[in-house]
Amino acid sequence: MLYLIGLGLSYKSDITVRGLEAIKKCSRVYLEHYTSILMAATQEELEEYYGKAVILADRELVETGSADILRNADKEDVAFLVVGDPFGATTHTDLVLRAKREKIPVEVVHNASVMNAVGSCGLQLYTFGQTVSMVFFTENWRPDSWYDKIWENRKIGLHTLVLLDIKVKEQSIENMARGRLIYEPPRYMSISQCCEQLLEIEETKGSKAYTPDTPVVAISRLGSATQSFKVGTIKELSEYDAGEPLHSLIILGRQCHELELEYLLEFTDNKEKFKQDVIADQEYFKPPAWVPSAEEDNDDE
């Protein structure tokens, strides 16, 4: 059996009872270690808690070495651990499909992820649109495919969850080209850097999917003892020090309910200003009133 087990957001004890019972009977335990990290637990602490050795599975192992993970999984139990939920922010459908092709049974143990825990900021999950990922820009690579998804969400009034990039066990282009297994120090995108990149792409695009005055919510260390929220405009949070990772950002949609707004006001020192920013944004992105065309008028007659 291949077990895909969600670990939750922060603590070693966030794992479900069923997930822990599955791990204890597995002969090998892999921890996916490139899309997120368990903020309040080290590899050594997990190994002590599980009573099992934990193998760190980087991107290369998961994407090109899945045969190692699935080795003998038709005869013994193997666990693949994912921070959050196995099918949350990053899906692992490819590993599941490969297991099924090899007739290996698969069992999924779900857990909390950023995709549902963001509701703790007070915004209703039903009012979220497409989730997007913001990657680190480089000198020659500034991807903006996420921009249109934000614009689509904004057109219909929905909030946008922006997942911020992390780099764990990444090689520089030079070391990769030279075949040197030298890895860069881990990097985690900050709220301010995400907002700066948002502003840069909006200036380039000019479509006004959002503006510097668009209200946003900064989410830091979700699910941990130091979890925090901060609201403001994109421009204001481009200068905000959110502290230690991990971080996410929410771009508010036009349909911000009064109860959502009341909850968000707890995360600002200037409640009246933020309230006015939200009202102004709602007005700016309000769809134009429908006016029937001449043809439609004639049809009614």
Side-chain angles (χ1 to χ4, degrees):
M1 176 78 75
L2 172 67
Y3 288 94
L4 265 70
I5 302 173
L7 299 185
L9 292 168
S10 189
Y11 301 95
K12 62 186 181 184
S13 53
D14 282 347
I15 191 170
T16 64
V17 173
R18 187 160 70 93
L20 184 58
E21 290 175 345
I23 287 176
K24 289 186 177 297
K25 64 182 181 180
C26 287
S27 57
R28 296 195 313 280
V29 178
Y30 295 90
L31 172 60
E32 191 258 73
H33 192 61
Y34 65 91
T35 62
S36 190
I37 59 169
L38 208 58
M39 291 177 285
T42 65
Q43 178 183 356
E44 292 73 23
E45 289 170 334
L46 292 180
E47 290 178 330
E48 181 179 357
Y49 190 67
Y50 301 153
K52 295 279 184 177
V54 173
I55 304 166
L56 294 183
D58 58 18
R59 185 186 300 274
E60 183 180 0
L61 176 59
V62 176
E63 293 182 352
T64 64
S66 60
D68 289 337
I69 297 173
L70 298 177
R71 174 172 42 87
N72 295 329
D74 56 335
K75 305 180 185 68
E76 55 190 5
D77 293 322
V78 176
F80 185 77
L81 313 182
V82 181
V83 174
D85 184 85
F87 298 108
T90 297
T91 60
H92 292 287
T93 52
D94 185 60
L95 185 63
V96 172
L97 289 173
R98 294 186 188 198
K100 289 184 175 182
R101 282 197 292 267
E102 296 181 28
K103 309 299 183 187
I104 297 170
V106 177
E107 184 171 326
V108 179
V109 183
H110 294 286
N111 208 321
S113 79
V114 64
M115 301 296 285
N116 58 1
V118 293
S120 59
C121 75
L123 296 178
Q124 300 164 9
L125 295 180
Y126 286 179
T127 58
F128 278 77
Q130 303 171 88
T131 297
V132 302
S133 296
M134 178 68 71
V135 302
F136 284 108
F137 286 177
T138 67
E139 185 176 348
N140 301 313
W141 189 57
R142 305 175 106 69
D144 57 12
S145 58
W146 43 265
Y147 181 88
D148 289 339
K149 293 182 180 180
I150 294 175
W151 191 206
E152 289 167 3
N153 289 344
R154 297 276 283 165
K155 284 179 180 178
I156 56 177
L158 300 179
H159 310 310
T160 303
L161 173 61
V162 184
L163 303 176
L164 276 55
D165 199 8
I166 75 170
K167 297 292 186 185
V168 179
K169 199 179 179 183
E170 296 278 339
Q171 291 178 276
S172 67
I173 295 176
E174 180 183 355
N175 286 329
M176 190 181 302
R178 295 176 180 273
R180 297 186 298 213
L181 296 179
I182 301 174
Y183 300 99
E184 302 290 293
R187 289 192 298 151
Y188 307 94
M189 183 178 289
S190 66
I191 294 293
S192 59
Q193 185 170 7
C194 176
C195 289
E196 288 170 0
Q197 294 187 180
L198 282 169
L199 293 174
E200 176 185 325
I201 296 302
E202 176 52 56
E203 187 174 350
T204 301
K205 292 277 190 178
S207 301
K208 294 204 168 140
Y210 48 85
T211 73
D213 296 324
T214 293
V216 290
V217 184
I219 301 174
S220 301
R221 300 168 297 280
L222 186 63
S224 76
T226 60
Q227 169 181 296
S228 71
F229 304 105
K230 180 72 171 180
V231 299
T233 65
I234 296 178
K235 178 60 177 175
E236 289 168 346
L237 294 196
S238 70
E239 302 170 359
Y240 170 58
D241 182 358
E244 294 296 312
L246 300 171
H247 306 291
S248 301
L249 188 79
I250 300 172
I251 301 173
L252 257 61
R254 169 174 38 80
Q255 300 182 57
C256 185
H257 192 274
E258 59 184 17
L259 291 179
E260 292 180 302
L261 178 56
E262 182 181 351
Y263 205 106
L264 292 177
L265 290 177
E266 298 300 313
F267 309 128
T268 177
D269 297 327
N270 195 336
K271 292 180 171 56
E272 188 56 34
K273 181 185 182 303
F274 184 74
K275 187 175 181 179
Q276 293 306 315
D277 287 337
V278 171
I279 292 173
D281 186 71
Q282 289 178 340
E283 287 297 319
Y284 183 86
F285 283 94
K286 187 176 292 184
W290 176 73
V291 178
S293 66
E295 291 180 0
E296 288 171 323
D297 280 342
N298 292 332
D299 289 342
D300 290 340
E301 295 174 1

